[in-house]
Amino acid sequence: MTTTAKSPGRCIGEFIGHAIRYTIDFYKDFFTRIKDISVPDFSSRFVSVLLVNLAFAAYNYLRSGNGNIYMSVFLPYLFVNTVIVLLSCIYKSSHLFTILTSMLLTIGSGLQTYMISPDSENAMSEVIKLAAVQLTGIICSILALPVLSLITSGKISLKAVRLILFGVTVMCYLLLLVAGREINGTRAWLYIGSLSLQITEISKLLAIIHLSLFVIDSKLTDKIKMRDSLIMLLVHCAFLVVINELGTAVILGIIFFLQRILFYPDRKKIATEILALFLLGCVLIAGLFGISKIELPDTNNTAAEETAITEQTSGTENQEMSEQTEAPVSSSSQKKEDSVALTYLRRIQRIYPKLEKRVCVFLGIGDITADDTYQTDMAKKALRYADLFGTSKGSLASVPEISSDFVFIYVIVRLGLIPMIIILLTLIFIFGDTLIYAARTTRKNEMVIAATFICTIIFQSFICMLSNVGLFPVIGLPMPFISSGGTSTVVTLLMTTFIMYFMRKNTENKGKEVVRK
Amino acid sequence: MIDIKKLLAGLVSVSMCFAVVIASTVAYLSGVFGTDEAPVPPGEVTEGIFLDRNGIEITSYSPEGKNHPAVLNFSKSMSHLIGYNSTRLGTSGLRNTLKNYILTGGKDDTGATITLTVDAYLQEALCSLLDGHKGSISIVNAKTGEILVLLSRSNSEVLFEADRVDEAYARDKDGKVLQYYSDYYNSIDGLYINMATLAEDSGGSVIKVITAYGLLSNGMGELTYYDADGTFLDGKIHNYAHTPYYETDLGKALINSSNVYFANAALTLGNKRMRDTFSTFMLGNEITLDFTTLNSNYANAQYLDDFILASTGYGQGQLQISPLHIASIIGTVVSGDGRMMKPYLIDNIADDGKQKEGTKKEVLTVIDTEVSHKLKELLASTAESYGLYDGFNKEDVTIIAKSGTAETWRNNGNHTYFGVGVEFGDNAYGICIDFVDEDVMSSSLIPCVNEIINELITACDIRG
């Protein structure tokens, strides 16, 4: 697209017009592909997925003796998997990728349903709700595909797209700061009526796409790409740290680093860059430490706002702000509120002590209490019950967040070590399959995004697993496909659908050749 | 096209390494392939034990070995607190709250050792004060929040002994068990309830301490009232025995426990200030402790009938507060540093060779220190009027106190309270003793209070 001096209004109009035309063409091609679905191909994929479903149902029947499981649990999820099979047939994507992702989705759905007991009165409605979320994810993916395809087509200004993405993500963060709800110390959720959206999952997706667009943009030099993507990453991390969503910040950092290694040719300076980033990190942490030591004024004269004094009577200086005791309950002078600036300064003050606490808890040093390590202690105790093929013994109720952050413990204890190894191998095969396509493809732009998406899924899974077994600090990352969480499921399915689209084979339509590169 | 095939292959290799590390770690932690740390099937774990603050074993390992509950060494005084570990009923008390620690093996087949903040000998020594009564005794270190004593007696006739629940209560002539103790205990309503943490009744005149704080903190400490006939609000409210106290100020009102004065004080303060004052001491809020949740209630609607507001002011009305909460409030006043510490029981947890600090010390709320000093002086005079200073040197010990007798909805008698604060050396303690459903006045608790103070000071002197 050549750039000429045009008015902003005209540019926007052309942009929208182009986007609409592209979308129409995209869906025309989509429906053409639907007509071209081959029945044997669909049947073979469907049968494979069905066998996977049945195998999982049979495994659980043999373990638990519950014959109702299949009818009340797996049929709704088989419907979801059928839609995924349909999509993979439309794009003639990798058969292996389709089966393996369906398998992970089935395992995750089955686990989330088992956790609420398939015999309970609410089980069916929970199954339907989860299946509906998954279908929503697939529908959103189909709607988002033309947008991603347009972005990677090279036919629009990537600068404009990056600006839009950045603007939207900043608005997401501001919305969280203003109206977000804090759960377990993290302000990542927005409630719209009874619907809760984990906005940080959406911002993570947008940030990953944004980082990928820097790689794709051939108009920028590598130096500018790295500089601008680093600035963007730091802005994201600043917001994420303020809302205490460390997991997403870590994932974005890993993606940034991976893209640097994979997609920027000059790899000689990587060591220097790592050192520079490390020093920058030290400066930032020192800054946070300094801010944490600033004495802010109390805004009332009969009650202090915070307080968890750990060893005050013994004279140690380790004072930590605890959200449990923040804002003691109403007294007349407590009605006087902080200014907005003071509120956010207090929030920033809490970052360093929390970071320090997480590191100390992970390393087992410093003033840590049984409360601090409760989650990992209970996870390790639960692991003692693990067996090769799973056990129903041992209560997992003591492991906090068993359906999300610590779902891997559930997998190990209830399903067993063998299924755990199968899941690990599945992830590796999915990873390998996608990267093989990435290595062979000529669709460079799509490859960057697809490779980034699969790295996100895989590394997030590994970090979740490592933190569950105590080899990484607990940073609250859910396990894709397996953990609960509607927004996380939708985002994961969006990434998966795009990867399937990326893996598509060329197709021909009767009377009109439609070849996509 | 960037040639990244080698890098992508490297990435897959890295992920395989991650997978191997994860699988190996899981295999090690589960011990499923037979390591030195063999897995411990549930049911074969030796129950962990409880120690008191001085290392005395509250429970001890069963001499019969694994799979048998620990032995409770202080059955009379600790049953409500520690609870039972029964094959028939499961677990209760701290054994239930902390079962993930004491009933789950980690690297060994023994549960954790949990050190509590209670003083077992002190608790045992004070236990006899509750013989024949239903009630509780709570002692809290006001400076740290440590609970030294949490005694409960939930039935004046039947003594709950946790370790007996699986024993035979009645046998037939052939020796066959007809009834277990658990069946017998289950037949008695509320036998397992810990009275110290139960917010069932209003606190009575002890609540006047809070109203007094409200007056002082709002600059109304000089409020006086002329009580001509011992009644208020057309006789709806009256002093005990309708005794008039004529010209009454705050100090005199506390000593005489004048309902009329404090009813007037509540109306003078007004609904909003009363609510704010109550909230300062965490009334109306759930306080999550490390072993239970303390609840309390009071009439906190925006618009209140004068009678209800006035009743709240002197400790009746729709109030509900637990004895442990009362002990915390009195302790806050006597400590002088203005901090109301959150009561806690768990000092540290030792498991698998590692020791970790238990519950963090936490400040629930902060009150005005100047006001609390004034209130402390007034309540010291009240304590003196009760004769609590007899045998103590005022230079060594500061005692503050307020008694209370609450009418209850059960029509079984009154709920009598005695809230006491004791300060000596660097120590400050909040104490509450209460008797439930008895037709006695709170003054009858004075000998018990004297004994508690003596035992407490002795315990601190001996054991530090």
Side-chain angles (χ1 to χ4, degrees):
Chain A
M1 184 185 257
T2 54
T3 52
T4 55
K6 294 178 188 169
S7 68
R10 194 170 167 191
C11 287
I12 292 170
E14 280 185 7
F15 183 90
I16 294 172
H18 189 75
I20 292 172
R21 276 195 298 278
Y22 191 92
T23 306
I24 292 170
D25 285 342
F26 181 92
Y27 283 120
K28 273 186 187 169
D29 177 59
F30 185 79
F31 287 115
T32 305
R33 285 175 178 270
I34 291 175
K35 288 181 204 165
D36 289 342
I37 289 176
S38 118
V39 172
D41 184 31
F42 177 82
S43 305
S44 71
R45 290 173 197 249
F46 179 77
V47 166
S48 310
V49 168
L50 181 63
L51 285 173
V52 163
N53 264 291
L54 281 171
F56 189 52
Y59 179 76
N60 282 290
Y61 175 71
L62 289 169
R63 275 189 49 250
S64 65
N66 189 341
N68 283 333
I69 290 172
Y70 187 75
M71 294 304 290
S72 65
V73 172
F74 289 105
L75 278 183
Y77 300 132
L78 181 60
F79 178 71
V80 173
N81 281 319
T82 306
V83 174
I84 291 175
V85 165
L86 201 61
L87 268 176
S88 82
C89 285
I90 289 169
Y91 287 111
K92 297 184 179 13
S93 312
S94 162
H95 198 143
L96 181 67
F97 184 88
T98 307
I99 294 170
L100 295 180
T101 48
S102 296
M103 188 171 92
L104 287 178
L105 200 62
T106 300
I107 291 172
S109 307
L111 284 184
Q112 292 302 325
T113 317
Y114 275 127
M115 286 178 189
I116 57 146
S117 169
D119 295 322
S120 73
E121 286 174 8
N122 289 330
M124 204 56 210
S125 65
E126 288 298 323
V127 163
I128 291 168
K129 191 171 139 191
L130 187 52
V133 166
Q134 290 168 351
L135 279 172
T136 306
I138 295 171
I139 292 168
C140 289
S141 316
I142 295 170
L143 292 173
L145 273 179
V147 176
L148 288 171
S149 177
L150 177 62
I151 288 171
T152 54
S153 64
K155 293 179 181 174
I156 55 166
S157 162
L158 292 180
K159 184 178 177 183
V161 176
R162 287 200 304 273
L163 281 171
I164 293 169
L165 283 175
F166 189 68
V168 171
T169 46
V170 168
M171 270 174 46
C172 286
Y173 290 131
L174 290 175
L175 199 59
L176 280 177
L177 286 173
V178 168
R181 190 171 303 188
E182 200 160 297
I183 298 175
N184 292 335
T186 303
R187 191 185 281 256
W189 282 267
L190 191 69
Y191 275 73
I192 303 170
S194 59
L195 180 69
S196 77
L197 288 172
Q198 192 174 359
I199 298 292
T200 49
E201 284 289 317
I202 297 168
S203 68
K204 178 184 80 182
L205 176 69
L206 296 177
I208 287 166
I209 296 171
H210 194 162
L211 283 171
S212 305
L213 291 183
F214 280 111
V215 175
I216 292 169
D217 197 343
S218 54
K219 291 181 186 169
L220 300 175
T221 62
D222 283 349
K223 200 174 174 182
I224 292 173
K225 284 182 192 180
M226 283 192 277
R227 180 200 69 190
D228 288 355
S229 57
L230 180 64
I231 291 170
M232 189 223 74
L233 178 71
L234 288 174
V235 169
H236 272 278
C237 287
F239 277 111
L240 289 167
V241 167
V242 168
I243 61 174
N244 199 25
E245 178 54 48
L246 292 178
T248 305
V250 166
I251 279 293
L252 290 180
I254 289 173
I255 295 302
F256 173 80
F257 180 68
L258 283 172
Q259 284 188 337
R260 172 67 187 88
I261 293 175
L262 291 173
F263 301 124
Y264 291 93
D266 183 3
R267 299 187 183 93
K268 290 175 194 169
K269 293 182 189 170
I270 285 179
T272 315
E273 287 166 13
I274 290 173
L275 184 64
L277 279 173
F278 176 74
L279 289 172
L280 179 65
C282 291
V283 167
L284 285 171
I285 289 173
L288 287 172
F289 174 75
I291 292 173
S292 72
K293 295 298 174 191
I294 296 172
E295 280 198 26
L296 294 177
D298 282 343
T299 52
N300 56 69
N301 56 10
T302 58
E305 194 178 46
E306 42 83 3
T307 65
I309 298 175
T310 46
E311 293 276 2
Q312 184 135 343
T313 50
S314 62
T316 59
E317 291 181 5
N318 199 8
Q319 202 168 48
E320 185 181 84
M321 296 195 188
S322 164
E323 286 171 17
Q324 281 180 322
T325 58
E326 199 174 317
V329 198
S330 49
S331 75
S332 56
S333 50
Q334 285 167 328
K335 301 292 183 200
K336 195 172 160 191
E337 287 175 358
D338 279 339
S339 63
V340 172
L342 209 53
T343 304
Y344 288 111
L345 196 54
R346 285 190 203 280
R347 187 169 273 281
I348 293 169
Q349 271 199 326
R350 278 181 238 140
I351 295 170
Y352 179 80
K354 280 187 175 159
L355 279 174
E356 188 191 19
K357 178 62 71 174
R358 282 185 200 242
V359 170
C360 286
V361 166
F362 175 64
L363 296 174
I365 56 174
D367 271 335
I368 54 172
T369 68
D371 275 349
D372 296 328
T373 58
Y374 182 75
Q375 210 169 16
T376 45
D377 285 345
M378 291 302 119
K380 282 184 184 165
K381 279 188 192 281
L383 280 176
R384 302 293 295 161
Y385 296 118
D387 205 342
L388 284 177
F389 295 104
T391 175
S392 54
K393 293 178 187 170
S395 166
L396 293 179
S398 57
V399 183
E401 308 299 331
I402 192 70
S403 66
S404 53
D405 300 352
F406 276 78
V407 75
F408 191 53
I409 300 293
Y410 194 97
V411 166
I412 296 166
V413 178
R414 290 288 179 252
L415 293 186
L417 295 181
I418 300 296
M420 176 207 74
I421 290 170
I422 291 172
I423 289 174
L424 285 170
L425 289 172
T426 303
L427 287 167
I428 291 169
F429 277 117
I430 287 174
F431 197 28
D433 197 35
T434 309
L435 294 185
I436 288 169
Y437 267 82
R440 290 177 187 167
T441 190
T442 55
R443 298 186 215 119
K444 174 198 159 190
N445 293 349
E446 286 179 18
M447 179 271 290
V448 170
I449 292 185
T452 308
F453 278 173
I454 196 64
C455 285
T456 306
I457 291 172
I458 298 303
F459 280 92
Q460 186 167 323
S461 301
F462 282 140
I463 289 173
C464 176
M465 292 183 213
L466 287 169
S467 62
N468 278 201
V469 298
L471 293 177
F472 197 86
V474 178
I475 51 175
L477 275 179
M479 196 164 156
F481 298 109
I482 310 289
S483 289
S484 68
T487 320
S488 159
T489 302
V490 167
V491 166
T492 304
L493 282 169
L494 200 149
M495 293 189 195
T496 311
T497 311
F498 181 79
I499 293 169
M500 283 201 289
Y501 169 75
F502 159 69
M503 288 176 168
R504 69 192 179 284
K505 293 195 171 73
N506 289 345
T507 185
E508 288 185 7
N509 197 12
K510 287 180 188 174
K512 189 175 179 184
E513 189 178 83
V514 176
V515 177
R516 293 242 171 248
K517 288 186 181 176
Chain B
M1 168 65 191
I2 299 165
D3 182 7
I4 57 167
K5 287 181 185 170
K6 280 186 185 173
L7 283 170
L8 294 176
L11 215 50
V12 175
S13 306
V14 165
S15 65
M16 285 177 72
C17 292
F18 272 125
V20 169
V21 165
I22 290 166
S24 311
T25 308
V26 169
Y28 169 73
L29 289 174
S30 65
V32 76
F33 293 116
T35 63
D36 288 341
E37 299 169 350
V40 180
E44 288 192 15
V45 172
T46 303
E47 182 188 347
I49 60 172
F50 289 98
L51 306 177
D52 86 336
R53 60 189 295 110
N54 301 304
I56 308 294
E57 288 187 358
I58 299 174
T59 58
S60 301
Y61 295 116
S62 169
E64 295 176 71
K66 279 186 203 177
N67 225 1
H68 288 89
V71 174
L72 181 57
N73 297 321
F74 298 89
S75 187
K76 194 178 167 193
S77 59
M78 292 285 187
S79 284
H80 274 105
L81 182 62
I82 301 297
Y84 50 71
N85 178 4
S86 160
T87 52
R88 309 177 77 248
L89 300 177
T91 50
S92 73
L94 284 179
R95 276 164 143 161
N96 186 50
T97 309
L98 299 170
K99 66 181 174 208
N100 294 324
Y101 285 107
I102 61 168
L103 294 178
T104 314
K107 289 183 181 169
D108 55 25
D109 59 358
T110 308
T113 299
I114 300 181
T115 303
L116 302 178
T117 57
V118 293
D119 185 323
Y121 286 145
L122 179 60
Q123 184 138 331
E124 185 74 6
L126 296 176
C127 181
S128 57
L129 294 175
L130 293 178
D131 285 347
H133 300 285
K134 177 180 171 183
S136 69
I137 300 175
S138 312
I139 303 180
V140 179
N141 184 324
K143 301 273 190 189
T144 62
E146 292 165 302
I147 298 174
L148 260 71
V149 167
L150 201 71
L151 264 169
S152 167
R153 196 65 64 78
S154 51
N155 190 287
S156 56
E157 289 162 7
V158 177
L159 177 66
F160 165 52
E161 291 179 277
D163 269 8
R164 303 194 83 168
V165 292
D166 288 334
E167 287 179 14
Y169 178 70
R171 292 181 188 271
D172 64 12
K173 57 182 180 185
D174 298 322
K176 186 181 165 192
V177 176
L178 290 173
Q179 193 182 29
Y180 288 93
Y181 266 95
S182 55
D183 303 315
Y184 171 56
Y185 288 154
N186 285 342
S187 68
I188 300 167
D189 278 342
L191 188 65
Y192 304 127
I193 293 174
N194 191 321
M195 301 303 293
T197 56
L198 179 66
E200 196 173 28
D201 297 319
S202 69
S205 295
V206 179
I207 301 299
K208 287 167 181 162
V209 171
I210 301 176
T211 311
Y213 178 89
L215 284 175
L216 291 166
S217 61
N218 285 286
M220 297 180 191
E222 304 305 319
L223 180 73
T224 58
Y225 182 78
Y226 188 81
D227 173 15
D229 59 358
T231 66
F232 192 70
L233 278 184
D234 300 323
K236 288 180 198 169
I237 291 170
H238 58 84
N239 295 327
Y240 175 67
H242 291 79
T243 309
Y245 294 113
Y246 307 110
E247 189 68 28
T248 311
D249 62 13
L250 180 57
K252 187 176 173 185
L254 283 168
I255 291 172
N256 294 325
S257 199
S258 168
N259 295 342
V260 164
Y261 177 91
F262 282 100
N264 176 61
L267 293 183
T268 309
L269 278 168
N271 188 9
K272 186 178 175 307
R273 288 198 195 103
M274 282 292 287
R275 278 189 282 135
D276 287 345
T277 305
F278 275 33
S279 297
T280 300
F281 289 98
M282 302 296 285
L283 257 88
N285 291 91
E286 267 186 12
I287 305 172
T288 306
L289 307 184
D290 56 0
F291 64 104
T292 191
T293 302
L294 285 187
N295 288 300
S296 55
N297 294 299
Y298 68 98
N300 58 2
Q302 206 173 356
Y303 300 104
L304 277 184
D305 180 65
D306 275 354
F307 172 69
I308 295 175
L309 179 59
S311 302
T312 307
Y314 73 87
Q316 284 294 150
Q318 296 166 9
L319 280 160
Q320 286 173 308
I321 188 169
S322 60
L324 180 59
H325 197 163
I326 290 173
S328 277
I329 291 171
I330 304 290
T332 306
V333 175
V334 82
S335 74
D337 59 12
R339 293 186 312 192
M340 183 169 169
M341 301 301 290
K342 189 191 236 188
Y344 71 96
L345 265 183
I346 301 167
D347 185 51
N348 73 67
I349 297 175
D351 200 7
D352 296 337
K354 288 184 195 166
Q355 194 153 339
K356 289 174 199 159
E357 192 187 317
T359 309
K360 288 192 197 89
K361 296 180 185 58
E362 205 173 298
V363 178
L364 278 176
T365 184
V366 175
I367 65 173
D368 190 311
T369 47
E370 222 176 286
V371 169
S372 77
H373 281 137
K374 284 185 199 160
L375 185 56
K376 188 174 164 182
E377 283 169 13
L378 292 169
L379 290 173
S381 303
T382 314
E384 195 168 8
S385 73
Y386 295 142
L388 294 178
Y389 269 102
D390 293 347
F392 293 108
N393 188 337
K394 279 188 194 173
E395 286 173 8
D396 297 332
V397 181
T398 303
I399 303 174
I400 67 171
K402 185 71 194 78
S403 63
T405 306
E407 291 168 12
T408 72
W409 52 270
R410 292 181 295 279
N411 296 321
N412 277 348
N414 298 322
H415 192 152
T416 47
Y417 301 84
F418 222 108
V420 182
V422 179
E423 187 186 29
F424 52 94
D426 292 329
N427 304 306
Y429 298 92
I431 304 167
C432 181
I433 175 170
D434 67 304
F435 287 169
V436 184
D437 294 342
E438 294 187 25
D439 277 322
V440 294
M441 298 306 293
S442 50
S443 52
S444 63
L445 290 171
I446 292 175
C448 297
V449 170
N450 274 322
E451 185 157 343
I452 292 171
I453 297 173
N454 274 307
E455 290 286 352
L456 174 62
I457 293 176
T458 306
C460 290
D461 283 342
I462 295 173
R463 296 190 277 275

